Amino acid sequence: MEEIKIKLDEIIKSRKLTSKELAKRINITEANLSILKTGKAKGIRFSTLLNICRELNCQPGDILKYIRRRDDEP
């Protein structure tokens, strides 16, 4: 099974920000930010990703992690 793990919440906390503050800075709703943080989003606009990276001073790879598991792996 493959998946993309979202590490946004960890980075927000490490920057000592609240989700509410980040949502305001990048001009999206707290509800939409929550959907991104929980990995329930079907996609993300590059403009949103750019704004997140700018505000958190990070790279997309700091936020998104690709995980590949084979059927025979635990």
Side-chain angles (χ1 to χ4, degrees):
M1 179 174 117
E2 298 174 316
E3 68 176 300
I4 300 291
K5 181 177 179 191
I6 309 297
K7 302 184 296 179
L8 186 55
D9 202 32
E10 299 164 27
I11 295 174
I12 291 170
K13 288 178 183 174
S14 75
R15 302 298 193 271
K16 296 185 167 70
L17 288 174
T18 64
S19 294
K20 182 177 184 174
E21 186 176 358
L22 179 61
K24 184 177 179 180
R25 287 184 183 188
I26 63 174
N27 198 31
I28 66 171
T29 65
E30 289 180 64
N32 283 340
L33 183 59
S34 178
I35 290 168
L36 289 173
K37 287 180 6 178
T38 59
K40 294 180 181 177
K42 299 287 184 193
I44 182 170
R45 291 182 179 191
F46 282 116
S47 60
T48 301
L49 185 58
L50 183 137
N51 289 336
I52 290 170
C53 289
R54 183 188 63 241
E55 290 300 322
L56 296 178
N57 192 27
C58 67
Q59 294 293 315
D62 298 331
I63 297 169
L64 306 171
K65 181 178 181 180
Y66 170 70
I67 300 172
R68 181 172 78 181
R69 296 187 184 115
R70 296 184 181 163
D71 291 339
D72 56 352
E73 291 181 352

